[in-house]
Amino acid sequence: MAKRLEDLAPEGLLDRARRGVVLVDGVSRVRVLCHYDPDGTTSAAILARALMRRGKRVHATMSHALDAAMVERVKAEPNELLVVSDMGSAQLDLLEPLPFPVIVLDHHKPLRDSERVVHVNPHLFGVDGAREMCGATTSWTFALLLDEANWDLAGIAAAGAIGDKQDLGGFVGSNAALFAEAVDRKVLVPERRLALRDRPLAQALALSISPYFRGIGGRPDQAEAFLRSAGIDPNTTLRQLDPAQRRRLTSVLATRLVEQGAAPEALDVLVEDRYWIEPDQMYAQDLEAYVNSCDRLEQMGLGMAVCLGDRDALARAEALLDQYTNRVLEHLRTLEREGLFTKKHIQFFYCEEASLAGSVAGAGIQFYFDQSKPVFGLSVMERQTKISARGTRSQIVQGVDLAAVCREAAGALEGDGGGHNIAAGATVPKGREEKFLTLVDDLVGRQVSSADA
Ligand code: C5P
Ligand code: ZN
């Protein structure tokens, strides 16, 4: 029997969200602002579909930051209601004075709650927003309160959660409950398999970023030699292998990842629970990959169109995915060859493409960088330097919190920073990189040693 939403998400969170539904019902137009990454873009698509279903006109924008300039821009528009998703919890000060009501659907750890803004954040209700609910699942929960028909948006929400790496090791908490119900309702179909694209295997291995195979990524010839030495035909696809061959391939790839020093969670990436989205006829993992490459190449609107089921947009997104993959592979190969810079407690690299630094840092730390130190990818831009910080689960257990590190170090340098303990970022004025690195090295050192004590 179908479960009720009350059995799947915390009551307090649903109560808050119901207050948002009342606001939606009082207006004819809704302004939507979301973070620019896959979690934010899928949130925007979910909100747009759900609000249009409810007969509302919608104007959605994805943006890198919710800063004073962005808030001024929406303030100058004749808005009746603003919905912010996958950001906003850290910007309540900016949102509260707005002359129209505001709903925030965020999962970043809030510094405080709000009286004025309808503040829907899992952290406020005992749910870990870093693992158990993302911006897209929070937005989708809101959509489910608007209309039960929105169960058909489960796949888009799953793509958002995958974008924020909440599927690693399997969904837990509210994510797990909501997606299990979507499986029962036949919107999602789970399938356990190797995380490789449906291409001839040598190509699939050489094109793979997650997992990234050291010595093979970006090098089809090396991939071919590796497969032949394992007794596997490099020209077959995963689907064409029989179960015994599939098992052998899984085992040689797992061994390879262990040998190259990957984090234990990397093995969770190698064999993954893929989710087939019945209404969209594609895997949630692939939807996330398309949206991610659109976002990273600054075409967020295209990513949103793919989520909304636009087939022309999909064809263009496929080309962007290839372009994005090749650029990330190029950076990962360069770092393999040249190595990273190190300090006592951190490692770092420079990446001239700011939008790729996070992907490079994330794949690097998971698959082959030194596992003992978190990594910082720095992109020196015209006036600012953007930093992406990434860690591993074991570093978090040792006390590392990269959001706190980025917030403190950037805050001390007239910049800003934040994010999640395992994946965070910062922006500092250009020229402050050395100072930033010295500060974060010291902060990480202190986090690790105070956790020891
Ligand atoms: O840009 P990147 O993907 O590395 O960002 C990782 C995380 O850090 C995101 O959750 C982002 O919202 C956060 N971040 C932040 N402040 C910044 C840059 C990034 O809170 N200045
Ligand atoms: Zn998010």
Side-chain angles (χ1 to χ4, degrees):
M1 206 180 75
K3 288 210 176 65
R4 297 170 329 135
L5 201 48
E6 288 72 14
D7 303 325
L8 308 169
E11 191 48 44
L13 183 132
L14 295 176
D15 266 346
R16 278 284 167 94
R18 282 190 196 100
R19 281 170 48 196
V21 171
V22 173
L23 290 177
V24 167
D25 282 341
V27 301
S28 58
R29 281 182 303 114
V30 182
R31 185 71 166 99
V32 173
L33 271 189
C34 295
H35 194 216
Y36 80 101
D37 69 3
D39 188 28
T41 305
T42 51
S43 299
I46 288 166
L47 291 168
R49 294 232 335 226
L51 289 165
M52 289 192 290
R53 235 179 205 157
R54 195 85 169 183
K56 308 297 165 188
R57 276 179 293 143
V58 181
H59 174 191
T61 303
M62 271 75 72
S63 109
H64 280 262
L66 183 58
D67 53 13
M70 191 71 212
V71 173
E72 276 308 311
R73 184 177 143 194
V74 292
K75 189 179 173 183
E77 302 165 352
N79 289 312
E80 297 175 52
L81 171 65
L82 172 66
V83 181
V84 180
S85 183
D86 196 32
M87 53 186 189
S89 283
Q91 292 88 9
L92 294 168
D93 290 348
L94 288 172
L95 296 171
E96 280 169 344
L98 282 170
F100 37 77
V102 180
I103 304 169
V104 166
L105 304 163
D106 194 6
H107 70 122
H108 293 84
K109 210 169 194 165
L111 299 169
R112 64 173 175 89
D113 200 358
S114 176
E115 293 280 316
R116 250 184 96 75
V117 164
V118 175
H119 188 199
V120 186
N121 185 314
H123 285 287
L124 299 171
F125 307 101
V127 174
D128 179 5
R131 272 295 275 143
E132 301 176 327
M133 243 184 151
C134 63
T137 42
T138 306
S139 300
W140 176 45
T141 304
F142 177 64
L144 289 171
L145 288 169
L146 280 170
D147 191 337
E148 282 243 1
N150 292 320
W151 276 102
D152 69 353
L153 305 181
I156 308 176
I162 291 163
D164 270 9
K165 311 276 182 256
Q166 296 196 344
D167 63 321
L168 280 191
F171 287 119
V172 292
S174 297
N175 280 336
L178 288 160
F179 293 131
E181 178 62 18
V183 169
D184 283 349
R185 290 176 186 245
K186 314 246 178 309
V187 179
L188 294 179
V189 184
E191 182 186 317
R192 198 158 174 77
R193 50 166 266 172
L194 273 172
L196 294 175
R197 308 246 306 257
D198 287 317
R199 303 258 180 116
L201 284 171
Q203 270 187 40
L205 289 192
L207 275 175
S208 178
I209 295 173
S210 186
Y212 177 78
F213 300 101
R214 187 179 180 131
I216 289 177
R219 285 149 286 188
D221 295 352
Q222 300 295 328
E224 185 172 334
F226 171 77
L227 287 162
R228 285 202 194 284
S229 73
I232 294 163
D233 177 1
N235 299 313
T236 51
T237 66
L238 192 56
R239 279 177 191 280
Q240 291 166 332
L241 295 181
D242 65 37
Q245 288 173 318
R246 245 184 240 197
R247 275 198 297 279
R248 186 157 77 246
L249 178 62
T250 307
S251 130
V252 295
L253 293 177
T255 307
R256 176 98 190 181
L257 288 177
V258 171
E259 282 170 0
Q260 73 186 40
E265 56 261 36
L267 297 179
D268 294 336
V269 176
L270 178 64
V271 180
E272 64 181 0
D273 288 315
R274 298 208 121 213
Y275 285 92
W276 179 255
I277 314 172
E278 213 39 71
D280 300 80
Q281 292 289 298
M282 68 164 91
Y283 287 105
Q285 277 74 11
D286 292 340
L287 178 58
E288 190 276 336
Y290 292 130
V291 175
N292 185 49
S293 48
C294 293
D295 291 346
R296 297 286 170 185
L297 299 173
E298 294 294 328
Q299 304 218 21
M300 292 77 109
L302 186 63
M304 187 169 157
V306 174
C307 292
L308 295 174
D310 178 337
R311 289 279 148 180
D312 291 339
L314 181 61
R316 281 159 58 209
E318 267 169 23
L320 283 189
L321 177 58
D322 284 345
Q323 197 186 329
Y324 163 81
T325 305
N326 287 325
R327 279 158 69 173
V328 172
L329 285 170
E330 181 79 39
H331 286 291
L332 288 168
R333 275 184 72 173
T334 305
L335 290 172
E336 244 188 68
R337 203 171 52 237
E338 296 177 358
L340 282 77
F341 300 104
T342 56
K343 284 190 175 280
K344 196 148 180 260
H345 304 286
I346 62 160
Q347 51 191 328
F348 63 98
F349 65 91
Y350 290 91
C351 175
E352 65 283 9
E353 294 178 279
S355 61
L356 303 185
S359 314
V360 175
I365 196 69
Q366 233 178 7
F367 301 111
Y368 77 92
F369 295 170
D370 177 357
Q371 291 294 294
S372 67
K373 299 168 176 176
V375 65
F376 292 76
L378 287 83
S379 307
V380 181
M381 302 188 298
E382 212 168 303
R383 288 166 53 195
Q384 290 180 318
T385 294
K386 166 123 182 35
I387 299 118
S388 283
R390 298 291 187 273
T392 64
R393 292 250 178 95
S394 108
Q395 291 165 9
I396 304 310
V397 171
Q398 283 160 34
V400 173
D401 177 353
L402 294 172
V405 164
C406 284
R407 195 178 320 117
E408 257 186 71
L413 298 169
E414 288 162 42
D416 63 80
H420 305 287
N421 55 12
I422 201 163
T427 309
V428 296
K430 185 175 176 171
R432 303 269 172 100
E433 299 81 32
E434 288 299 325
K435 281 198 181 122
F436 179 83
L437 290 164
T438 306
L439 281 173
V440 297
D441 190 36
D442 183 54
L443 287 165
V444 171
R446 275 197 269 163
Q447 286 180 339
V448 176
S449 68
S450 66
D452 273 352

